[in-house]
Amino acid sequence: EAGVTQFPSHSVIEKGQTVTLRCDPISGHDNLYWYRRVMGKEIKFLLHFVKESKQDESGMPNNRFLAERTGGTYSTLKVQPAELEDSGVYFCASSQAGSKNIQYFGAGTRLSVL
Amino acid sequence: SQQGEEDPQALSIQEGENATMNCSYKTSINNLQWYRQNSGRGLVHLILIRSNEREKHSGRLRVTLDTSKKSSSLLITASRAADTASYFCATASTGTYKYIFGTGTRLKVLA
């Protein structure tokens, strides 16, 4: 069974540009999460989808970040316009229904904003 | 201090030795999980311990949980060079989905 996959693995863009990250969760997992780790700090929650609905987006840093999960399958996270402080690793995770289940993480997308 | 804080922040040991990492958290939790991240790679799930469990084993890993102290420890026995990685604990407060991670422990196992 395929795990959580993220694309691209690494993205280098200039300040002011737009970048879109994609996450394909494990098939059948209703829950999808985005996290990020910036500047060697702790990994922080961004938001949580249940199917196509945003359940919790309390971790989204500002309105330059837009996450979607049309159809309840894969998700995209768009950063527009990107700023230097957005550099870091963006992780996606998915889990089965229920809050007690293990979240399986993807390899992450390393975003470098120059 | 932050929820899900690990200590030590960095640990360097010789191959074959045991490595112990600790994690503290603040709120009531459903479970606590440990993850490993090899340099430049994703988070790999190692072990989950539920709030009603006190100890759990998986291969060379042993995890303990003390809910009265809101702390957990991860013991890696007979360490190998391939265990070199960052280790994170993650907790989700009861009834919530979002994980809170600490800054992690960077383990270096010298061959």
Side-chain angles (χ1 to χ4, degrees), chain B residues 40-94:
Chain B
R41 298 191 178 183
L43 290 165
V44 174
H45 182 262
L46 295 177
I47 196 165
L48 177 152
I49 186 164
R50 300 196 186 280
S51 58
N52 61 353
E53 297 176 312
R54 292 296 167 259
E55 188 171 312
K56 202 158 184 182
H57 296 253
S58 177
R60 294 183 296 111
L61 305 180
R62 182 171 79 97
V63 170
T64 62
L65 179 65
D66 186 336
T67 52
S68 66
K69 295 181 180 178
K70 292 187 168 57
S71 67
S72 173
S73 67
L74 171 68
L75 168 68
I76 304 173
T77 60
S79 63
R80 305 167 182 167
D83 295 328
T84 294
S86 290
Y87 291 81
F88 299 88
C89 70
T91 56
S93 298
T94 305

Side-chain angles (χ1 to χ4, degrees), chain B residues 14-28:
Chain B
Q14 294 292 324
E15 204 166 31
E17 293 181 336
N18 295 342
T20 300
M21 289 159 267
N22 303 298
C23 166
S24 61
Y25 59 91
K26 289 183 176 291
T27 63
S28 295

Side-chain angles (χ1 to χ4, degrees), chain A:
Chain A
E1 178 183 326
V4 177
T5 56
Q6 293 187 245
F7 182 83
S9 57
H10 192 188
S11 180
V12 181
I13 61 172
E14 293 190 352
K15 175 183 172 181
Q17 290 186 321
T18 297
V19 63
T20 300
L21 314 181
R22 173 172 169 145
C23 168
D24 286 74
I26 293 172
S27 178
H29 281 192
D30 286 344
N31 293 297
L32 186 149
Y33 316 82
W34 285 97
Y35 293 82
R36 74 171 181 176
R37 187 182 190 200
V38 296
M39 297 293 289
K41 295 185 178 177
E42 64 271 24
I43 300 164
K44 284 194 171 178
F45 169 86
L46 295 179
L47 88 160
H48 167 214
F49 283 100
V50 177
K51 297 185 182 179
E52 68 275 9
S53 299
K54 291 177 185 174
Q55 187 76 10
D56 180 354
E57 50 184 328
S58 61
M60 294 288 265
N62 52 61
N63 59 10
R64 295 185 295 102
F65 289 76
L66 175 64
E68 295 181 320
R69 192 182 181 196
T70 307
T73 54
Y74 71 89
S75 174
T76 57
L77 179 64
K78 183 193 291 187
V79 185
Q80 179 182 30
E83 298 290 344
L84 299 178
E85 64 265 25
D86 300 332
S87 295
V89 182
Y90 290 76
F91 293 102
C92 175
S94 71
S95 70
Q96 294 179 324
S99 63
K100 300 183 180 182
N101 289 307
I102 295 171
Q103 295 182 19
Y104 295 92
F105 283 77
T109 293
R110 182 173 295 278
L111 175 64
S112 300
V113 183
L114 306 179

Side-chain angles (χ1 to χ4, degrees), chain A residues 35 42 45 58 100 103, chain B residues 2 31 35 37 97-99:
Chain A
Y35 293 82
E42 64 271 24
F45 169 86
S58 61
K100 300 183 180 182
Q103 295 182 19
Chain B
Q2 295 183 350
N31 55 60
Y35 288 84
Q37 184 185 21
Y97 288 77
K98 62 183 178 185
Y99 282 2

